[in-house]
Each structure stands twice: as C-alpha cells, then as structure tokens.
Amino acid sequence: AQKVTQAQTEISVVEKEDVTLDCVYETRDTTYYLFWYKQPPSGELVFLIRRNSFDEQNEISGRYSWNFQKSTSSFNFTITASQVVDSAVYFCALAWNQGGKLIFGQGTELSVKP
Amino acid sequence: EAGVAQSPRYKIIEKRQSVAFWCNPISGHATLYWYQQILGQGPKLLIQFQNNGVVDDSQLPKDRFSAERLKGVDSTLKIQPAKLEDSAVYLCASSLSGKRDALEQYFGPGTRLTVT
C-alpha cells in the first residue's frame, strides 16, 4: 500500500533558525514521484518541488533544500534561516502512476516566531 | 497565467440539503482533480478526470457525491444530500496530461463547506 507519514504534527522555531520537516513514504512501485506542497493560512496549496524515484540528487532552491534517500524511504525538507513568512502547513505527497492522484501525509504545521 | 478558479469560496448548508461547487482549471490542463480536505488532515482524492472522462473515482461516495466535466474544461462537484461529516475544504487541482510522469498539480483556493 502507498502511504506517506509526516510524524511531526507541529514545529515551532524562532526566526533565523534552521528547521527540517520529515517525510517517510511507503510504496511497492519502482517508479514513483514525491512532492512537497505549502499551505499558508489562505488555504491554497502551493507546489514547491517534485522528485522522480530514479533521481536521488538533492536539490537546493534559495533557503529551501530537499534530501531524498531511497535507502530510508525519506524525502526531508529543510528551511535554512527561517522567516515568519514560512509559517504554514507543509505537506509531503506521493504519486505512483502516470498523472495519478497524490497521496498526502498528515502535514506539519510550522510556526516561525519573530 | 490565470490559476485554478473555484467558487464559491465558502458555503454553509444544513444537513440533507444539496450543494454544488464549480472549478475552472488552468487553460490547457487536460487533467482535473477534486480533493476533500478535512480539518487537520491532508487532502484526499475524490475524483480525477482526463479531459471529460473519469480516470479514478474509487474514493467518491457515489451514493451522495457526483461530478462532471462537460466539454473537458470546467467541472462541477455536487453533494446530495449533505451529511455533517462532509464539512471540509473541497480543493480542485489541474495538471498537464501526464502520459509518462506524474506531473505537478496546481490547486485552486478551495471551497470551505460547513454542514450544520
């Protein structure tokens, strides 16, 4: 069965701290896709990144970085020097077929205090 | 480029009433999804359309929920009759046709439904 687990329900940090959001996934498929979405208080899900299962290269985009490790079935997300605007709920998601549905984790609510 | 549009943004109804939500995807996106997001949970797919055909409706409660995508563009999701447990945010998303890859989905602002 396909499943995504985000064990951290809530995280609270002070501005400028680094923070890592954990994501562990389960799938039997050899080809799959992993995503991170941000849901600010306005409610709209904002796409952040997509990774393919055959590409384990880590990625950095500004203050955001992602660590994909197939050996531990993890796809963790790190925000460096967090800012108040980073406060949101972050979802990790998995898709395993062509254009298929996303299986979301429960989400991690990040609160960045000034 | 315009994003995914949804209306209404908020709706309050009594149980056993009917309600309909509308979605206009990003222009050129062949695939359209409806998700249900209950408070404190991640979104869950209700139905997926490829153009105007249904790809996946395995988690759609078909005794009360229905959806259509006439002409392969706009879509409507209906609940009839509503139950208290249908209180949630209904999210519409769209993506380019992913013949080989699961492509990123772009989400609308959602419709927050409260059933009293």
Side-chain angles (χ1 to χ4, degrees), chain A residues 33 37 39 50 98-99 102, chain B residues 33 37 48 99 101-102 105:
Chain A
Y33 308 84
Y37 282 84
Q39 189 172 44
R50 177 190 71 147
Q98 300 163 8
L102 294 172
Chain B
Y33 312 79
Q37 185 178 17
Q48 175 186 348
K99 291 185 178 179
D101 297 331
Q105 298 176 22

Side-chain angles (χ1 to χ4, degrees), chain B residues 26-43:
Chain B
I26 292 174
S27 177
H29 282 195
T31 309
L32 185 147
Y33 312 79
W34 282 102
Y35 288 85
Q36 179 192 58
Q37 185 178 17
I38 293 172
L39 186 64
Q41 300 182 16

Side-chain angles (χ1 to χ4, degrees), chain A residues 1 7 9 24 50 56-57 60 69 77 98 109-110:
Chain A
T9 304
V24 174
R50 177 190 71 147
E56 283 192 77
Q57 262 194 330
I60 298 175
Q69 292 194 341
F77 173 29
Q98 300 163 8
E109 183 172 4
L110 174 65

Side-chain angles (χ1 to χ4, degrees), chain A residues 1-9 21-29 32-37 49 51 66 68 72-77 89-96 100-108, chain B residues 35 40-44 59:
Chain A
Q2 284 79 7
K3 185 180 178 181
V4 175
T5 301
Q6 295 178 255
Q8 305 150 308
T9 304
L21 309 182
D22 297 334
C23 173
V24 174
Y25 63 91
E26 296 175 31
T27 180
R28 293 179 182 172
D29 293 85
Y32 52 90
Y33 308 84
L34 296 164
F35 302 78
W36 276 96
Y37 282 84
I49 190 172
R51 301 302 287 175
W66 291 269
F68 177 24
T72 56
S73 298
S74 65
F75 185 43
N76 297 337
F77 173 29
V89 180
Y90 291 86
F91 289 97
C92 180
L94 166 72
W96 67 91
K101 66 185 178 186
L102 294 172
I103 301 296
F104 285 88
Q106 292 286 87
T108 296
Chain B
Y35 288 85
Q41 300 182 16
K44 181 187 78 172
Q59 296 194 81

Side-chain angles (χ1 to χ4, degrees), chain B residues 34-83:
Chain B
W34 282 102
Y35 288 85
Q36 179 192 58
Q37 185 178 17
I38 293 172
L39 186 64
Q41 300 182 16
K44 181 187 78 172
L45 182 78
L46 292 175
I47 188 167
Q48 175 186 348
F49 292 95
Q50 179 79 13
N51 295 308
N52 60 352
V54 175
V55 174
D56 184 347
D57 63 356
S58 57
Q59 296 194 81
L60 186 74
K62 298 181 186 63
D63 57 334
R64 298 183 300 106
F65 285 64
S66 64
E68 60 183 9
R69 191 182 183 197
L70 300 176
K71 301 181 182 178
V73 182
D74 294 7
S75 177
T76 302
L77 176 69
K78 297 179 181 177
I79 308 175
Q80 180 181 11
K83 293 185 175 181

